[in-house]
Amino acid sequence: MKTLTLLRHAKSGWDDPVLRDFDRPLNGKGKRAAQLVGRNWRSMGLAFDHVVASPAVRVIETIEQVATGYGEALAPAWDRRIYLASATTLLDLVHELPEGADSALLVGHNPGLEDLILLLVPDSADQPLRDDVEAKFPTASTAQLRFDVDTWRDIAAGTAELVLFVRPRDLDPALGPDQD
């Protein structure tokens, strides 16, 4: 059994039009949401054997803020391939996860993360959370997928069970769309 948790970076700012996309930092709402996500993970008892993340500034800051709420450093392996990666590239990265890890966390960007979930989780009546992800996978959202496999290499399209999908607004309505 393998468990893959996906986290989309928190809300970033566009205040500096000169910054490259890669260098955009979190805004205030993003920082609040990321800390709340960390507290939520702690309350649910989520734990990870391995963490891999995009090195984009907004991801680095998301991880720092989540760790503050979580109460524990996440110590990711940074992988530039995650930055704006397609679902196919992300699946390749999943296949490369260490076999000794049964629970991994991948932190990155949309549309790749959302597309990866939709690729891995079958579109069926027994996967009601999939429809919510398909509608929108907002910033600072967490999705957890479970696979009945022995190795990460065995993960393929349609083999996941989506067991958790939490958006920041599910934790605090003030973090929903059109809120500051």
Side-chain angles (χ1 to χ4, degrees), residues 86-101:
S86 68
T88 304
T89 299
L90 293 173
L91 182 56
D92 288 344
L93 290 165
V94 169
H95 288 156
E96 295 173 12
L97 290 169
E99 288 310 325

PDB file of all heavy atoms in Angstrom, residues 86-101:
ATOM      1  N   SER A  86       3.751  18.693 -16.284  1.00  0.00           N
ATOM      2  CA  SER A  86       2.523  18.033 -16.734  1.00  0.00           C
ATOM      3  C   SER A  86       2.246  16.841 -15.819  1.00  0.00           C
ATOM      4  O   SER A  86       3.110  16.397 -15.055  1.00  0.00           O
ATOM      5  CB  SER A  86       2.696  17.536 -18.172  1.00  0.00           C
ATOM      6  OG  SER A  86       3.655  16.475 -18.194  1.00  0.00           O
ATOM      7  N   ALA A  87       1.053  16.297 -15.928  1.00  0.00           N
ATOM      8  CA  ALA A  87       0.697  15.113 -15.150  1.00  0.00           C
ATOM      9  C   ALA A  87       1.630  13.948 -15.485  1.00  0.00           C
ATOM     10  O   ALA A  87       2.020  13.184 -14.602  1.00  0.00           O
ATOM     11  CB  ALA A  87      -0.759  14.728 -15.416  1.00  0.00           C
ATOM     12  N   THR A  88       2.009  13.827 -16.738  1.00  0.00           N
ATOM     13  CA  THR A  88       2.903  12.745 -17.164  1.00  0.00           C
ATOM     14  C   THR A  88       4.267  12.866 -16.493  1.00  0.00           C
ATOM     15  O   THR A  88       4.820  11.882 -15.997  1.00  0.00           O
ATOM     16  CB  THR A  88       3.059  12.749 -18.700  1.00  0.00           C
ATOM     17  OG1 THR A  88       1.760  12.653 -19.285  1.00  0.00           O
ATOM     18  CG2 THR A  88       3.910  11.591 -19.176  1.00  0.00           C
ATOM     19  N   THR A  89       4.805  14.073 -16.464  1.00  0.00           N
ATOM     20  CA  THR A  89       6.092  14.291 -15.800  1.00  0.00           C
ATOM     21  C   THR A  89       5.976  14.010 -14.309  1.00  0.00           C
ATOM     22  O   THR A  89       6.863  13.388 -13.708  1.00  0.00           O
ATOM     23  CB  THR A  89       6.591  15.730 -16.045  1.00  0.00           C
ATOM     24  OG1 THR A  89       6.770  15.920 -17.444  1.00  0.00           O
ATOM     25  CG2 THR A  89       7.890  16.009 -15.312  1.00  0.00           C
ATOM     26  N   LEU A  90       4.893  14.458 -13.689  1.00  0.00           N
ATOM     27  CA  LEU A  90       4.695  14.207 -12.260  1.00  0.00           C
ATOM     28  C   LEU A  90       4.572  12.706 -11.981  1.00  0.00           C
ATOM     29  O   LEU A  90       5.114  12.215 -10.978  1.00  0.00           O
ATOM     30  CB  LEU A  90       3.471  14.955 -11.744  1.00  0.00           C
ATOM     31  CG  LEU A  90       3.599  16.479 -11.732  1.00  0.00           C
ATOM     32  CD1 LEU A  90       2.267  17.118 -11.352  1.00  0.00           C
ATOM     33  CD2 LEU A  90       4.716  16.944 -10.809  1.00  0.00           C
ATOM     34  N   LEU A  91       3.905  11.981 -12.861  1.00  0.00           N
ATOM     35  CA  LEU A  91       3.805  10.533 -12.683  1.00  0.00           C
ATOM     36  C   LEU A  91       5.185   9.888 -12.787  1.00  0.00           C
ATOM     37  O   LEU A  91       5.508   8.974 -12.022  1.00  0.00           O
ATOM     38  CB  LEU A  91       2.828   9.921 -13.694  1.00  0.00           C
ATOM     39  CG  LEU A  91       2.599   8.419 -13.574  1.00  0.00           C
ATOM     40  CD1 LEU A  91       2.129   8.025 -12.173  1.00  0.00           C
ATOM     41  CD2 LEU A  91       1.601   7.948 -14.628  1.00  0.00           C
ATOM     42  N   ASP A  92       6.019  10.378 -13.697  1.00  0.00           N
ATOM     43  CA  ASP A  92       7.398   9.881 -13.774  1.00  0.00           C
ATOM     44  C   ASP A  92       8.122  10.098 -12.448  1.00  0.00           C
ATOM     45  O   ASP A  92       8.861   9.222 -11.983  1.00  0.00           O
ATOM     46  CB  ASP A  92       8.166  10.581 -14.903  1.00  0.00           C
ATOM     47  CG  ASP A  92       7.727  10.151 -16.293  1.00  0.00           C
ATOM     48  OD1 ASP A  92       7.051   9.109 -16.418  1.00  0.00           O
ATOM     49  OD2 ASP A  92       8.053  10.876 -17.260  1.00  0.00           O
ATOM     50  N   LEU A  93       7.919  11.275 -11.835  1.00  0.00           N
ATOM     51  CA  LEU A  93       8.548  11.567 -10.545  1.00  0.00           C
ATOM     52  C   LEU A  93       8.022  10.637  -9.450  1.00  0.00           C
ATOM     53  O   LEU A  93       8.776  10.184  -8.591  1.00  0.00           O
ATOM     54  CB  LEU A  93       8.310  13.016 -10.156  1.00  0.00           C
ATOM     55  CG  LEU A  93       9.059  14.042 -11.001  1.00  0.00           C
ATOM     56  CD1 LEU A  93       8.491  15.438 -10.778  1.00  0.00           C
ATOM     57  CD2 LEU A  93      10.532  14.024 -10.682  1.00  0.00           C
ATOM     58  N   VAL A  94       6.727  10.353  -9.474  1.00  0.00           N
ATOM     59  CA  VAL A  94       6.138   9.423  -8.510  1.00  0.00           C
ATOM     60  C   VAL A  94       6.787   8.044  -8.659  1.00  0.00           C
ATOM     61  O   VAL A  94       7.128   7.394  -7.668  1.00  0.00           O
ATOM     62  CB  VAL A  94       4.605   9.344  -8.676  1.00  0.00           C
ATOM     63  CG1 VAL A  94       4.013   8.188  -7.877  1.00  0.00           C
ATOM     64  CG2 VAL A  94       3.962  10.667  -8.277  1.00  0.00           C
ATOM     65  N   HIS A  95       6.991   7.618  -9.889  1.00  0.00           N
ATOM     66  CA  HIS A  95       7.625   6.317 -10.133  1.00  0.00           C
ATOM     67  C   HIS A  95       9.047   6.262  -9.567  1.00  0.00           C
ATOM     68  O   HIS A  95       9.549   5.173  -9.279  1.00  0.00           O
ATOM     69  CB  HIS A  95       7.652   6.005 -11.629  1.00  0.00           C
ATOM     70  CG  HIS A  95       6.324   5.674 -12.187  1.00  0.00           C
ATOM     71  ND1 HIS A  95       6.007   5.838 -13.519  1.00  0.00           N
ATOM     72  CD2 HIS A  95       5.183   5.191 -11.602  1.00  0.00           C
ATOM     73  CE1 HIS A  95       4.756   5.465 -13.724  1.00  0.00           C
ATOM     74  NE2 HIS A  95       4.240   5.072 -12.574  1.00  0.00           N
ATOM     75  N   GLU A  96       9.687   7.418  -9.410  1.00  0.00           N
ATOM     76  CA  GLU A  96      11.054   7.491  -8.892  1.00  0.00           C
ATOM     77  C   GLU A  96      11.127   7.625  -7.368  1.00  0.00           C
ATOM     78  O   GLU A  96      12.224   7.659  -6.805  1.00  0.00           O
ATOM     79  CB  GLU A  96      11.784   8.691  -9.515  1.00  0.00           C
ATOM     80  CG  GLU A  96      11.991   8.594 -11.002  1.00  0.00           C
ATOM     81  CD  GLU A  96      12.555   9.879 -11.600  1.00  0.00           C
ATOM     82  OE1 GLU A  96      12.998  10.773 -10.839  1.00  0.00           O
ATOM     83  OE2 GLU A  96      12.538   9.990 -12.838  1.00  0.00           O
ATOM     84  N   LEU A  97       9.983   7.712  -6.684  1.00  0.00           N
ATOM     85  CA  LEU A  97      10.012   7.850  -5.227  1.00  0.00           C
ATOM     86  C   LEU A  97      10.703   6.646  -4.596  1.00  0.00           C
ATOM     87  O   LEU A  97      10.624   5.529  -5.123  1.00  0.00           O
ATOM     88  CB  LEU A  97       8.585   7.986  -4.681  1.00  0.00           C
ATOM     89  CG  LEU A  97       7.887   9.305  -5.004  1.00  0.00           C
ATOM     90  CD1 LEU A  97       6.397   9.233  -4.657  1.00  0.00           C
ATOM     91  CD2 LEU A  97       8.555  10.471  -4.290  1.00  0.00           C
ATOM     92  N   PRO A  98      11.391   6.851  -3.478  1.00  0.00           N
ATOM     93  CA  PRO A  98      12.112   5.747  -2.841  1.00  0.00           C
ATOM     94  C   PRO A  98      11.165   4.646  -2.381  1.00  0.00           C
ATOM     95  O   PRO A  98      10.144   4.922  -1.747  1.00  0.00           O
ATOM     96  CB  PRO A  98      12.808   6.394  -1.640  1.00  0.00           C
ATOM     97  CG  PRO A  98      12.529   7.848  -1.695  1.00  0.00           C
ATOM     98  CD  PRO A  98      11.542   8.115  -2.763  1.00  0.00           C
ATOM     99  N   GLU A  99      11.524   3.422  -2.668  1.00  0.00           N
ATOM    100  CA  GLU A  99      10.657   2.290  -2.328  1.00  0.00           C
ATOM    101  C   GLU A  99      10.488   2.108  -0.829  1.00  0.00           C
ATOM    102  O   GLU A  99       9.493   1.569  -0.379  1.00  0.00           O
ATOM    103  CB  GLU A  99      11.163   1.010  -2.984  1.00  0.00           C
ATOM    104  CG  GLU A  99      10.933   0.981  -4.481  1.00  0.00           C
ATOM    105  CD  GLU A  99       9.510   1.319  -4.909  1.00  0.00           C
ATOM    106  OE1 GLU A  99       8.536   0.965  -4.205  1.00  0.00           O
ATOM    107  OE2 GLU A  99       9.355   1.959  -5.964  1.00  0.00           O
ATOM    108  N   GLY A 100      11.430   2.591  -0.044  1.00  0.00           N
ATOM    109  CA  GLY A 100      11.307   2.496   1.402  1.00  0.00           C
ATOM    110  C   GLY A 100      10.261   3.437   1.973  1.00  0.00           C
ATOM    111  O   GLY A 100       9.872   3.305   3.133  1.00  0.00           O
ATOM    112  N   ALA A 101       9.804   4.371   1.169  1.00  0.00           N
ATOM    113  CA  ALA A 101       8.779   5.335   1.609  1.00  0.00           C
ATOM    114  C   ALA A 101       7.402   4.788   1.248  1.00  0.00           C
ATOM    115  O   ALA A 101       7.148   4.451   0.097  1.00  0.00           O
ATOM    116  CB  ALA A 101       9.003   6.681   0.933  1.00  0.00           C
TER     117      ALA A 101
END
